[in-house]
Amino acid sequence: MKKSNLITLIVLVVLIATYFLLKTKDSKERTRDLISLDINKLDSIEIWDSENRIHLIPDEGVWKLKDPVLWPADTLMVNSFFQEIVKAEFPSMPMSEGKHAVSRYDLEEDKAMHIRLKAGSKSEHLLFGNIGNAWDYFRREGEDTVYQTRTRIIQQFSPIIMNWRNPLVIHYWEDDLATIRVEHPKNKYTLTRNGLQWTFKDAKHDFEVVNHNFALTKIVGILQNFRSYSFVSGEDDESRALFEKPVATVWITDTKGKTNKLCFAEYSDKRYVMLLNDDYSVLYHVEFDTVFRFTRNPEIFMRKSII
């Protein structure tokens, strides 16, 4: 190979290597933190759009929805929010800027989804929009420079309270249960557990429940994962009046002696709400099947299974 060709080849290799080195370095420098606040000091998360609004605050080490009642937020949603937003980065190259950009990417105040985070006296307010693309766009409050995200923030974190609220109301493993006492208009009975054996007792019956009894299995099953995805305040007179004649009241006592009281009332045809421990600040919507599990006839508890 001629010396001149060799020099040319070396120069070409050096230029190519330099190009890829600079490109790699430049790509690393073209991202910025989406949120600059100290995540360990966050004390408020607000998300809202033109129809819905949620507000989360930390309480005793747990993020909770502040309204309409203070309630634990869904852990998976909160963890995902911190990963996708609080700890996220975004390409620092703007997509566009100016009033036309705000309109083009649906980032006007009344069209965008808002996220405002606070940490003490500091706060950050972002507005997100989507015009049918795979990723969202955002701007900062008071600014008209538009950037693109790397995820669909609006789709994941829409301020629909049912998506954010932890739906679990109570939870018992069967081994945690000691007694289940039930009162309803047609009967009063108690289920008592002794090891693997359950006993049914009311005014006319006293018997051991057979293994795999359908009725008992349904009760134990609902208590293992008692969820409600919809709730309302019960502090008004009309709601309180519903529980003057409940359709069923259940007292659940665990092996440590702690008791939870569940009171069910019908507020319209085959539609029910539940009151937990006489706390009227929140009523949980439940299905007819949930109430029916506790109001079966004694004979059903004598059977191994039913169809």
Side-chain angles (χ1 to χ4, degrees):
M1 181 180 290
K2 294 183 179 180
K3 184 176 181 181
S4 59
N5 290 339
L6 179 61
I7 293 174
T8 301
L9 180 61
I10 293 173
V11 171
L12 181 60
V13 170
V14 170
L15 288 174
I16 292 175
T18 302
Y19 168 77
F20 281 105
L21 179 63
L22 291 174
K23 184 178 180 181
T24 302
K25 181 179 180 182
D26 186 51
S27 64
K28 291 181 179 179
E29 293 176 345
R30 279 190 284 171
T31 61
R32 293 162 50 187
D33 290 337
L34 185 62
I35 303 297
S36 61
L37 300 175
D38 185 343
I39 64 173
N40 296 314
K41 295 181 179 180
L42 286 181
D43 52 27
S44 176
I45 298 173
E46 294 174 271
I47 307 174
W48 73 93
D49 56 24
S50 60
E51 298 180 352
N52 301 291
R53 187 184 193 102
I54 63 168
H55 186 187
L56 290 87
I57 58 173
D59 180 62
E60 297 180 348
V62 177
W63 282 96
K64 296 182 179 181
L65 289 162
K66 185 178 180 181
D67 301 304
V69 295
L70 190 64
W71 191 263
D74 183 83
T75 303
L76 293 178
M77 281 291 286
V78 172
N79 290 344
S80 181
F81 181 85
F82 271 76
Q83 191 65 38
E84 298 292 339
I85 295 182
V86 179
K87 298 180 181 179
E89 295 181 342
F90 70 96
S92 60
M93 181 67 69
M95 294 295 298
S96 185
E97 59 183 326
K99 292 183 179 180
H100 68 284
V102 172
S103 176
R104 177 185 177 186
Y105 293 103
D106 285 346
L107 291 171
E108 298 100 324
E109 291 277 343
D110 60 338
K111 292 183 179 180
M113 186 182 83
H114 299 247
I115 296 180
R116 180 164 57 204
L117 308 179
K118 293 182 180 180
S121 60
K122 299 180 179 180
S123 66
E124 292 200 22
H125 184 172
L126 306 176
L127 290 81
F128 293 86
N130 189 285
I131 54 174
N133 293 341
W135 291 345
D136 291 343
Y137 302 90
F138 78 95
R139 68 179 178 92
R140 300 184 184 279
E141 171 67 11
E143 300 180 8
D144 58 15
T145 303
V146 177
Y147 301 90
Q148 188 175 45
T149 68
R150 290 177 169 176
T151 56
R152 300 199 70 170
I153 303 299
I154 297 175
Q155 185 179 54
Q156 285 184 270
F157 306 111
S158 177
I160 299 174
I161 195 167
M162 287 179 61
N163 296 341
W164 283 89
R165 177 179 170 271
N166 185 343
L168 189 64
V169 180
I170 55 173
H171 165 74
Y172 293 94
W173 294 117
E174 185 171 2
D175 290 343
D176 297 329
L177 297 169
T179 63
I180 302 171
R181 183 164 64 92
V182 180
E183 292 185 8
H184 59 89
K186 295 183 179 181
N187 198 14
K188 298 179 182 180
Y189 69 88
T190 300
L191 290 163
T192 304
R193 187 182 68 86
N194 183 11
L196 298 177
Q197 183 62 61
W198 284 88
T199 301
F200 179 99
K201 185 176 182 179
D202 65 6
K204 299 179 180 180
H205 306 84
D206 189 348
F207 58 86
E208 290 184 347
V209 181
V210 297
N211 292 335
H212 310 298
N213 171 262
F214 180 84
L216 177 60
T217 300
K218 294 285 283 185
I219 289 176
V220 172
I222 192 69
L223 294 181
Q224 288 179 356
N225 193 25
F226 200 116
R227 294 170 175 257
S228 174
Y229 291 88
S230 178
F231 63 96
V232 294
S233 173
E235 296 182 321
D236 58 283
D237 293 338
E238 184 177 353
S239 295
R240 287 177 177 271
L242 293 174
F243 293 93
E244 293 178 0
K245 294 182 179 181
V247 295
T249 304
V250 182
W251 292 265
I252 304 165
T253 302
D254 63 21
T255 54
K256 296 180 180 179
K258 182 180 179 181
T259 299
N260 275 316
K261 177 184 176 184
L262 285 59
C263 193
F264 301 94
E266 186 175 13
Y267 68 92
S268 65
D269 186 36
K270 301 298 183 181
R271 303 182 72 179
Y272 300 86
V273 286
M274 185 190 77
L275 175 68
L276 179 62
N277 295 326
D278 297 323
D279 180 5
Y280 284 91
S281 66
V282 56
L283 300 180
Y284 308 91
H285 286 110
V286 296
E287 301 294 330
F288 167 76
D289 178 67
T290 299
V291 182
F292 183 60
R293 294 176 191 228
F294 297 100
T295 59
R296 297 178 186 271
N297 295 327
E299 291 75 15
I300 304 300
F301 289 91
M302 298 178 185
R303 304 175 187 176
K304 184 173 182 178
S305 63
I306 63 173
I307 298 176

